[in-house]
Amino acid sequence: DQQVKQNSPSLSVQEGRISILNCDYTNSMFDYFLWYKKYPAEGPTFLISISSIKDKNEDGRFTVFLNKSAKHLSLHIVPSQPGDSAVYFCAASAALSGWGKLQFGAGTQVVVTP
Amino acid sequence: DGGITQSPKYLFRKEGQNVTLSCEQNLNHDAMYWYRQDPGQGLRLIYYSQIVNDFQKGDIAEGYSVSREKKESFPLTVTSAQKNPTAFYLCASSLIQGSNQPQHFGDGTRLSIL
């Protein structure tokens, strides 16, 4: 039973434009959400996170939006750069189910074209 | 440089053989985790540990064992009971003080069956 879903396996975007990655979750107890970026044959790198008490968090080119009523979050990358080509994972955890127990989505492959 | 070191990068297992994957961190993180990634899927939690000499099963612990004798080290043994061990294994660590600490990952070990 997958509690975190990334329904778009891939996304192609032109350099300089906005990349929007989406993530849906089913567990209403999730209260902490993260985005990771992963290159082939490497471990995921933490990008940005958001707590359920917020609806937006920004860090440079990366912004995460959280819509709790829709159980949906999104990652915006503006402007997209060639180095952003990677797989992006959404993850979530619930304090009540135990610290550190992250549930991951299946990932979205982003390709930034010139 | 602080970080998480996983070794070896590639590992081959014969039928009926146990193999051990190494994970060492010098970030002074309290918690450590093991995940498994299969093609087209997200990361799934195998085991995690909050403190030395204590660890908990994750979502897919069957066929695996761990130990936490030192804060810096969290080796994972893939036993012969794990019938489908071919996967990419990722180790992570995090602080646990306060709330909502992101996990940081090593570069992974790819395990294959001979």
Side-chain angles (χ1 to χ4, degrees), chain A residues 32 36 41 43 89 99-100 103 105, chain B residues 9 42 50 59 100 103 106-107:
Chain A
Y32 181 51
Y36 284 87
F89 290 99
W99 56 271
Q103 296 289 332
Chain B
K9 196 166 181 67
Q50 184 178 8
D59 299 321
N100 297 337
Q103 295 178 21
D107 280 341

Side-chain angles (χ1 to χ4, degrees), chain A residues 2 31-32 34 36 38 41-46 49 51 89 93 97-107, chain B residues 9 31 33 35 37 40-43 45 48-50 57 59 88 90 96 100-108:
Chain A
Q2 202 168 1
D31 55 11
Y32 181 51
L34 310 89
Y36 284 87
K38 185 181 180 301
E42 292 185 10
T45 302
F46 169 69
S49 63
S51 163
F89 290 99
S93 69
S97 70
W99 56 271
K101 292 191 73 175
L102 289 178
Q103 296 289 332
F104 281 83
Chain B
K9 196 166 181 67
Y33 316 79
Y35 291 88
Q37 186 189 13
Q41 296 189 36
L43 283 64
L45 183 64
Y48 61 105
S49 167
Q50 184 178 8
K57 291 182 179 180
D59 299 321
F88 191 49
L90 286 157
I96 57 171
N100 297 337
Q101 300 287 349
Q103 295 178 21
H104 300 271
F105 286 82
D107 280 341

Side-chain angles (χ1 to χ4, degrees), chain A residues 25 28-34 49-57 64-69 72-73 93-95, chain B residues 99-100:
Chain A
Y25 60 95
S28 58
M29 301 303 294
F30 285 149
D31 55 11
Y32 181 51
F33 304 88
L34 310 89
S49 63
I50 188 167
S51 163
S52 59
I53 61 173
K54 293 186 173 182
D55 55 18
K56 177 182 174 181
N57 190 25
V64 56
F65 296 92
L66 175 62
N67 183 334
K68 289 188 291 292
S69 60
H72 176 84
L73 65 156
S93 69
Chain B
S99 62
N100 297 337

Side-chain angles (χ1 to χ4, degrees), chain B:
Chain B
D1 269 309
I4 301 171
T5 301
Q6 290 188 240
S7 61
K9 196 166 181 67
Y10 300 95
L11 187 58
F12 298 90
R13 193 192 92 168
K14 294 180 180 178
E15 295 287 345
Q17 187 182 43
N18 292 355
V19 291
T20 298
L21 285 62
S22 170
C23 178
E24 304 277 333
Q25 56 98 0
N26 61 4
L27 299 167
N28 200 30
H29 284 173
D30 306 288
M32 297 187 74
Y33 316 79
W34 275 105
Y35 291 88
R36 167 182 173 140
Q37 186 189 13
D38 292 282
Q41 296 189 36
L43 283 64
R44 291 183 290 166
L45 183 64
I46 304 172
Y47 268 99
Y48 61 105
S49 167
Q50 184 178 8
I51 56 173
V52 173
N53 293 322
D54 184 61
F55 45 83
Q56 306 293 330
K57 291 182 179 180
D59 299 321
I60 55 166
E62 186 174 349
Y64 300 97
S65 66
V66 293
S67 63
R68 186 90 187 273
E69 296 177 3
K70 298 185 300 181
K71 184 177 183 179
E72 302 79 21
S73 178
F74 192 40
L76 173 74
T77 296
V78 184
T79 74
S80 56
Q82 173 48 246
K83 297 306 177 190
N84 186 21
T86 297
F88 191 49
Y89 290 87
L90 286 157
C91 178
S93 69
S94 72
L95 293 168
I96 57 171
Q97 292 92 337
S99 62
N100 297 337
Q101 300 287 349
Q103 295 178 21
H104 300 271
F105 286 82
D107 280 341
T109 293
R110 186 165 297 281
L111 176 62
S112 303
I113 296 299
L114 286 178

